[in-house]
PDB file of all heavy atoms in Angstrom:
ATOM      1  N   TYR L  20      41.285 -78.542 -41.231  1.00  0.00           N
ATOM      2  CA  TYR L  20      42.238 -78.185 -40.175  1.00  0.00           C
ATOM      3  C   TYR L  20      42.350 -76.664 -40.061  1.00  0.00           C
ATOM      4  O   TYR L  20      42.351 -76.105 -38.956  1.00  0.00           O
ATOM      5  CB  TYR L  20      43.609 -78.789 -40.479  1.00  0.00           C
ATOM      6  CG  TYR L  20      44.705 -78.303 -39.562  1.00  0.00           C
ATOM      7  CD1 TYR L  20      44.915 -78.905 -38.324  1.00  0.00           C
ATOM      8  CD2 TYR L  20      45.511 -77.220 -39.915  1.00  0.00           C
ATOM      9  CE1 TYR L  20      45.909 -78.454 -37.467  1.00  0.00           C
ATOM     10  CE2 TYR L  20      46.506 -76.757 -39.072  1.00  0.00           C
ATOM     11  CZ  TYR L  20      46.705 -77.371 -37.847  1.00  0.00           C
ATOM     12  OH  TYR L  20      47.680 -76.912 -37.006  1.00  0.00           O
ATOM     13  N   VAL L  21      42.438 -75.984 -41.204  1.00  0.00           N
ATOM     14  CA  VAL L  21      42.534 -74.522 -41.199  1.00  0.00           C
ATOM     15  C   VAL L  21      41.286 -73.913 -40.572  1.00  0.00           C
ATOM     16  O   VAL L  21      41.374 -72.969 -39.766  1.00  0.00           O
ATOM     17  CB  VAL L  21      42.748 -73.986 -42.637  1.00  0.00           C
ATOM     18  CG1 VAL L  21      42.555 -72.476 -42.686  1.00  0.00           C
ATOM     19  CG2 VAL L  21      44.142 -74.355 -43.140  1.00  0.00           C
ATOM     20  N   LEU L  22      40.123 -74.425 -40.930  1.00  0.00           N
ATOM     21  CA  LEU L  22      38.875 -73.906 -40.350  1.00  0.00           C
ATOM     22  C   LEU L  22      38.876 -74.056 -38.829  1.00  0.00           C
ATOM     23  O   LEU L  22      38.530 -73.114 -38.100  1.00  0.00           O
ATOM     24  CB  LEU L  22      37.670 -74.631 -40.945  1.00  0.00           C
ATOM     25  CG  LEU L  22      37.338 -74.358 -42.416  1.00  0.00           C
ATOM     26  CD1 LEU L  22      36.095 -75.141 -42.823  1.00  0.00           C
ATOM     27  CD2 LEU L  22      37.131 -72.877 -42.675  1.00  0.00           C
ATOM     28  N   ALA L  23      39.270 -75.221 -38.357  1.00  0.00           N
ATOM     29  CA  ALA L  23      39.276 -75.449 -36.906  1.00  0.00           C
ATOM     30  C   ALA L  23      40.309 -74.555 -36.218  1.00  0.00           C
ATOM     31  O   ALA L  23      40.056 -74.016 -35.134  1.00  0.00           O
ATOM     32  CB  ALA L  23      39.584 -76.926 -36.615  1.00  0.00           C
ATOM     33  N   PHE L  24      41.457 -74.392 -36.853  1.00  0.00           N
ATOM     34  CA  PHE L  24      42.522 -73.558 -36.293  1.00  0.00           C
ATOM     35  C   PHE L  24      42.072 -72.106 -36.198  1.00  0.00           C
ATOM     36  O   PHE L  24      42.266 -71.443 -35.168  1.00  0.00           O
ATOM     37  CB  PHE L  24      43.763 -73.673 -37.189  1.00  0.00           C
ATOM     38  CG  PHE L  24      45.014 -73.078 -36.617  1.00  0.00           C
ATOM     39  CD1 PHE L  24      45.932 -73.872 -35.945  1.00  0.00           C
ATOM     40  CD2 PHE L  24      45.289 -71.725 -36.743  1.00  0.00           C
ATOM     41  CE1 PHE L  24      47.093 -73.332 -35.409  1.00  0.00           C
ATOM     42  CE2 PHE L  24      46.443 -71.174 -36.215  1.00  0.00           C
ATOM     43  CZ  PHE L  24      47.348 -71.981 -35.544  1.00  0.00           C
ATOM     44  N   VAL L  25      41.439 -71.606 -37.267  1.00  0.00           N
ATOM     45  CA  VAL L  25      40.979 -70.216 -37.289  1.00  0.00           C
ATOM     46  C   VAL L  25      39.841 -70.012 -36.297  1.00  0.00           C
ATOM     47  O   VAL L  25      39.778 -68.984 -35.613  1.00  0.00           O
ATOM     48  CB  VAL L  25      40.561 -69.807 -38.719  1.00  0.00           C
ATOM     49  CG1 VAL L  25      39.823 -68.473 -38.719  1.00  0.00           C
ATOM     50  CG2 VAL L  25      41.788 -69.744 -39.628  1.00  0.00           C
ATOM     51  N   ARG L  26      38.959 -70.987 -36.186  1.00  0.00           N
ATOM     52  CA  ARG L  26      37.885 -70.884 -35.189  1.00  0.00           C
ATOM     53  C   ARG L  26      38.469 -70.738 -33.784  1.00  0.00           C
ATOM     54  O   ARG L  26      37.992 -69.953 -32.973  1.00  0.00           O
ATOM     55  CB  ARG L  26      36.984 -72.125 -35.247  1.00  0.00           C
ATOM     56  CG  ARG L  26      35.865 -72.057 -36.244  1.00  0.00           C
ATOM     57  CD  ARG L  26      34.775 -73.061 -35.912  1.00  0.00           C
ATOM     58  NE  ARG L  26      35.318 -74.418 -35.839  1.00  0.00           N
ATOM     59  CZ  ARG L  26      35.187 -75.323 -36.808  1.00  0.00           C
ATOM     60  NH1 ARG L  26      34.550 -75.016 -37.914  1.00  0.00           N
ATOM     61  NH2 ARG L  26      35.702 -76.530 -36.668  1.00  0.00           N
ATOM     62  N   ARG L  27      39.503 -71.519 -33.509  1.00  0.00           N
ATOM     63  CA  ARG L  27      40.082 -71.521 -32.164  1.00  0.00           C
ATOM     64  C   ARG L  27      40.833 -70.237 -31.860  1.00  0.00           C
ATOM     65  O   ARG L  27      40.680 -69.655 -30.784  1.00  0.00           O
ATOM     66  CB  ARG L  27      41.023 -72.719 -32.015  1.00  0.00           C
ATOM     67  CG  ARG L  27      41.726 -72.804 -30.649  1.00  0.00           C
ATOM     68  CD  ARG L  27      42.442 -74.131 -30.480  1.00  0.00           C
ATOM     69  NE  ARG L  27      43.513 -74.294 -31.448  1.00  0.00           N
ATOM     70  CZ  ARG L  27      44.744 -73.801 -31.295  1.00  0.00           C
ATOM     71  NH1 ARG L  27      45.046 -73.104 -30.207  1.00  0.00           N
ATOM     72  NH2 ARG L  27      45.675 -74.010 -32.208  1.00  0.00           N
ATOM     73  N   LEU L  28      41.655 -69.764 -32.814  1.00  0.00           N
ATOM     74  CA  LEU L  28      42.506 -68.602 -32.543  1.00  0.00           C
ATOM     75  C   LEU L  28      41.832 -67.273 -32.875  1.00  0.00           C
ATOM     76  O   LEU L  28      42.146 -66.243 -32.257  1.00  0.00           O
ATOM     77  CB  LEU L  28      43.820 -68.720 -33.332  1.00  0.00           C
ATOM     78  CG  LEU L  28      45.091 -68.849 -32.475  1.00  0.00           C
ATOM     79  CD1 LEU L  28      45.005 -70.107 -31.630  1.00  0.00           C
ATOM     80  CD2 LEU L  28      46.335 -68.907 -33.365  1.00  0.00           C
ATOM     81  N   TYR L  29      40.925 -67.294 -33.857  1.00  0.00           N
ATOM     82  CA  TYR L  29      40.376 -66.026 -34.348  1.00  0.00           C
ATOM     83  C   TYR L  29      38.850 -65.989 -34.354  1.00  0.00           C
ATOM     84  O   TYR L  29      38.255 -65.141 -35.035  1.00  0.00           O
ATOM     85  CB  TYR L  29      40.880 -65.758 -35.775  1.00  0.00           C
ATOM     86  CG  TYR L  29      42.379 -65.679 -35.873  1.00  0.00           C
ATOM     87  CD1 TYR L  29      43.123 -66.730 -36.395  1.00  0.00           C
ATOM     88  CD2 TYR L  29      43.068 -64.546 -35.440  1.00  0.00           C
ATOM     89  CE1 TYR L  29      44.504 -66.666 -36.497  1.00  0.00           C
ATOM     90  CE2 TYR L  29      44.448 -64.464 -35.528  1.00  0.00           C
ATOM     91  CZ  TYR L  29      45.158 -65.533 -36.055  1.00  0.00           C
ATOM     92  OH  TYR L  29      46.527 -65.462 -36.147  1.00  0.00           O
ATOM     93  N   GLY L  30      38.216 -66.902 -33.622  1.00  0.00           N
ATOM     94  CA  GLY L  30      36.755 -66.910 -33.611  1.00  0.00           C
ATOM     95  C   GLY L  30      36.154 -65.580 -33.231  1.00  0.00           C
ATOM     96  O   GLY L  30      35.105 -65.178 -33.761  1.00  0.00           O
ATOM     97  N   ASN L  31      36.833 -64.833 -32.348  1.00  0.00           N
ATOM     98  CA  ASN L  31      36.304 -63.535 -31.915  1.00  0.00           C
ATOM     99  C   ASN L  31      36.474 -62.453 -32.977  1.00  0.00           C
ATOM    100  O   ASN L  31      35.885 -61.372 -32.864  1.00  0.00           O
ATOM    101  CB  ASN L  31      37.005 -63.085 -30.630  1.00  0.00           C
ATOM    102  CG  ASN L  31      38.500 -62.913 -30.823  1.00  0.00           C
ATOM    103  OD1 ASN L  31      39.149 -63.725 -31.490  1.00  0.00           O
ATOM    104  ND2 ASN L  31      39.074 -61.871 -30.240  1.00  0.00           N
ATOM    105  N   LEU L  32      37.277 -62.720 -34.025  1.00  0.00           N
ATOM    106  CA  LEU L  32      37.495 -61.718 -35.080  1.00  0.00           C
ATOM    107  C   LEU L  32      36.647 -61.980 -36.325  1.00  0.00           C
ATOM    108  O   LEU L  32      36.527 -61.093 -37.184  1.00  0.00           O
ATOM    109  CB  LEU L  32      38.976 -61.689 -35.493  1.00  0.00           C
ATOM    110  CG  LEU L  32      40.003 -61.400 -34.397  1.00  0.00           C
ATOM    111  CD1 LEU L  32      41.393 -61.233 -35.018  1.00  0.00           C
ATOM    112  CD2 LEU L  32      39.629 -60.159 -33.605  1.00  0.00           C
ATOM    113  N   LEU L  33      36.088 -63.176 -36.443  1.00  0.00           N
ATOM    114  CA  LEU L  33      35.299 -63.501 -37.629  1.00  0.00           C
ATOM    115  C   LEU L  33      33.996 -62.714 -37.627  1.00  0.00           C
ATOM    116  O   LEU L  33      33.351 -62.557 -36.584  1.00  0.00           O
ATOM    117  CB  LEU L  33      34.997 -64.999 -37.660  1.00  0.00           C
ATOM    118  CG  LEU L  33      36.197 -65.934 -37.822  1.00  0.00           C
ATOM    119  CD1 LEU L  33      35.755 -67.382 -37.648  1.00  0.00           C
ATOM    120  CD2 LEU L  33      36.862 -65.727 -39.176  1.00  0.00           C
ATOM    121  N   ASN L  34      33.593 -62.238 -38.820  1.00  0.00           N
ATOM    122  CA  ASN L  34      32.321 -61.512 -38.907  1.00  0.00           C
ATOM    123  C   ASN L  34      31.179 -62.482 -39.217  1.00  0.00           C
ATOM    124  O   ASN L  34      31.388 -63.689 -39.374  1.00  0.00           O
ATOM    125  CB  ASN L  34      32.400 -60.377 -39.933  1.00  0.00           C
ATOM    126  CG  ASN L  34      32.633 -60.874 -41.351  1.00  0.00           C
ATOM    127  OD1 ASN L  34      32.325 -62.018 -41.694  1.00  0.00           O
ATOM    128  ND2 ASN L  34      33.174 -60.003 -42.196  1.00  0.00           N
ATOM    129  N   GLU L  35      30.002 -61.947 -39.312  1.00  0.00           N
ATOM    130  CA  GLU L  35      28.813 -62.795 -39.485  1.00  0.00           C
ATOM    131  C   GLU L  35      28.879 -63.604 -40.770  1.00  0.00           C
ATOM    132  O   GLU L  35      28.522 -64.791 -40.796  1.00  0.00           O
ATOM    133  CB  GLU L  35      27.559 -61.912 -39.471  1.00  0.00           C
ATOM    134  CG  GLU L  35      26.262 -62.698 -39.559  1.00  0.00           C
ATOM    135  CD  GLU L  35      25.033 -61.795 -39.479  1.00  0.00           C
ATOM    136  OE1 GLU L  35      25.189 -60.609 -39.108  1.00  0.00           O
ATOM    137  OE2 GLU L  35      23.931 -62.280 -39.797  1.00  0.00           O
ATOM    138  N   ALA L  36      29.346 -62.976 -41.867  1.00  0.00           N
ATOM    139  CA  ALA L  36      29.410 -63.668 -43.157  1.00  0.00           C
ATOM    140  C   ALA L  36      30.404 -64.821 -43.110  1.00  0.00           C
ATOM    141  O   ALA L  36      30.173 -65.889 -43.706  1.00  0.00           O
ATOM    142  CB  ALA L  36      29.792 -62.680 -44.263  1.00  0.00           C
ATOM    143  N   GLU L  37      31.505 -64.635 -42.413  1.00  0.00           N
ATOM    144  CA  GLU L  37      32.518 -65.686 -42.325  1.00  0.00           C
ATOM    145  C   GLU L  37      32.040 -66.857 -41.476  1.00  0.00           C
ATOM    146  O   GLU L  37      32.267 -68.028 -41.810  1.00  0.00           O
ATOM    147  CB  GLU L  37      33.823 -65.091 -41.781  1.00  0.00           C
ATOM    148  CG  GLU L  37      34.490 -64.158 -42.793  1.00  0.00           C
ATOM    149  CD  GLU L  37      35.259 -63.009 -42.165  1.00  0.00           C
ATOM    150  OE1 GLU L  37      35.412 -62.977 -40.928  1.00  0.00           O
ATOM    151  OE2 GLU L  37      35.696 -62.115 -42.924  1.00  0.00           O
ATOM    152  N   TRP L  38      31.353 -66.556 -40.376  1.00  0.00           N
ATOM    153  CA  TRP L  38      30.765 -67.622 -39.569  1.00  0.00           C
ATOM    154  C   TRP L  38      29.682 -68.355 -40.360  1.00  0.00           C
ATOM    155  O   TRP L  38      29.549 -69.581 -40.273  1.00  0.00           O
ATOM    156  CB  TRP L  38      30.175 -67.060 -38.288  1.00  0.00           C
ATOM    157  CG  TRP L  38      31.136 -66.979 -37.151  1.00  0.00           C
ATOM    158  CD1 TRP L  38      31.586 -65.856 -36.525  1.00  0.00           C
ATOM    159  CD2 TRP L  38      31.783 -68.077 -36.509  1.00  0.00           C
ATOM    160  NE1 TRP L  38      32.479 -66.178 -35.530  1.00  0.00           N
ATOM    161  CE2 TRP L  38      32.613 -67.540 -35.492  1.00  0.00           C
ATOM    162  CE3 TRP L  38      31.744 -69.468 -36.682  1.00  0.00           C
ATOM    163  CZ2 TRP L  38      33.394 -68.336 -34.675  1.00  0.00           C
ATOM    164  CZ3 TRP L  38      32.523 -70.263 -35.865  1.00  0.00           C
ATOM    165  CH2 TRP L  38      33.338 -69.699 -34.870  1.00  0.00           C
ATOM    166  N   ASP L  39      28.906 -67.611 -41.145  1.00  0.00           N
ATOM    167  CA  ASP L  39      27.853 -68.215 -41.965  1.00  0.00           C
ATOM    168  C   ASP L  39      28.467 -69.186 -42.972  1.00  0.00           C
ATOM    169  O   ASP L  39      27.950 -70.294 -43.180  1.00  0.00           O
ATOM    170  CB  ASP L  39      27.066 -67.127 -42.689  1.00  0.00           C
ATOM    171  CG  ASP L  39      25.952 -67.698 -43.548  1.00  0.00           C
ATOM    172  OD1 ASP L  39      25.103 -68.426 -43.011  1.00  0.00           O
ATOM    173  OD2 ASP L  39      25.947 -67.422 -44.774  1.00  0.00           O
ATOM    174  N   PHE L  40      29.576 -68.778 -43.594  1.00  0.00           N
ATOM    175  CA  PHE L  40      30.252 -69.665 -44.544  1.00  0.00           C
ATOM    176  C   PHE L  40      30.699 -70.951 -43.853  1.00  0.00           C
ATOM    177  O   PHE L  40      30.462 -72.060 -44.356  1.00  0.00           O
ATOM    178  CB  PHE L  40      31.468 -68.977 -45.162  1.00  0.00           C
ATOM    179  CG  PHE L  40      32.409 -69.933 -45.830  1.00  0.00           C
ATOM    180  CD1 PHE L  40      32.118 -70.468 -47.066  1.00  0.00           C
ATOM    181  CD2 PHE L  40      33.574 -70.344 -45.182  1.00  0.00           C
ATOM    182  CE1 PHE L  40      32.967 -71.386 -47.668  1.00  0.00           C
ATOM    183  CE2 PHE L  40      34.434 -71.251 -45.773  1.00  0.00           C
ATOM    184  CZ  PHE L  40      34.137 -71.778 -47.020  1.00  0.00           C
ATOM    185  N   ILE L  41      31.353 -70.822 -42.706  1.00  0.00           N
ATOM    186  CA  ILE L  41      31.868 -72.006 -41.999  1.00  0.00           C
ATOM    187  C   ILE L  41      30.724 -72.945 -41.628  1.00  0.00           C
ATOM    188  O   ILE L  41      30.789 -74.161 -41.852  1.00  0.00           O
ATOM    189  CB  ILE L  41      32.646 -71.576 -40.743  1.00  0.00           C
ATOM    190  CG1 ILE L  41      33.933 -70.845 -41.134  1.00  0.00           C
ATOM    191  CG2 ILE L  41      32.983 -72.791 -39.881  1.00  0.00           C
ATOM    192  CD1 ILE L  41      34.683 -70.246 -39.966  1.00  0.00           C
ATOM    193  N   ASN L  42      29.639 -72.395 -41.089  1.00  0.00           N
ATOM    194  CA  ASN L  42      28.511 -73.234 -40.653  1.00  0.00           C
ATOM    195  C   ASN L  42      27.842 -73.928 -41.835  1.00  0.00           C
ATOM    196  O   ASN L  42      27.494 -75.115 -41.760  1.00  0.00           O
ATOM    197  CB  ASN L  42      27.492 -72.391 -39.885  1.00  0.00           C
ATOM    198  CG  ASN L  42      28.049 -71.895 -38.554  1.00  0.00           C
ATOM    199  OD1 ASN L  42      28.885 -72.552 -37.936  1.00  0.00           O
ATOM    200  ND2 ASN L  42      27.583 -70.738 -38.109  1.00  0.00           N
ATOM    201  N   ARG L  43      27.677 -73.211 -42.935  1.00  0.00           N
ATOM    202  CA  ARG L  43      27.037 -73.798 -44.110  1.00  0.00           C
ATOM    203  C   ARG L  43      27.957 -74.811 -44.791  1.00  0.00           C
ATOM    204  O   ARG L  43      27.487 -75.837 -45.310  1.00  0.00           O
ATOM    205  CB  ARG L  43      26.614 -72.706 -45.077  1.00  0.00           C
ATOM    206  CG  ARG L  43      25.464 -71.853 -44.551  1.00  0.00           C
ATOM    207  CD  ARG L  43      25.211 -70.627 -45.412  1.00  0.00           C
ATOM    208  NE  ARG L  43      24.839 -70.962 -46.779  1.00  0.00           N
ATOM    209  CZ  ARG L  43      24.575 -70.060 -47.725  1.00  0.00           C
ATOM    210  NH1 ARG L  43      24.652 -68.761 -47.433  1.00  0.00           N
ATOM    211  NH2 ARG L  43      24.245 -70.431 -48.944  1.00  0.00           N
TER     212      ARG L  43
END
């Protein structure tokens, strides 16, 4: 739930490493 919430509200602020973590 936290991952989905952060993706929705802060997806534009996440850096490459954070997106890589979520995807993996």
Side-chain angles (χ1 to χ4, degrees):
Y20 171 84
V21 168
L22 290 181
F24 191 96
V25 169
R26 273 200 304 258
R27 178 170 64 84
L28 244 61
Y29 301 104
N31 61 319
L32 302 187
L33 295 172
N34 64 24
E35 183 177 347
E37 290 148 7
W38 272 116
D39 180 56
F40 164 77
I41 292 173
N42 293 330
R43 291 170 61 180

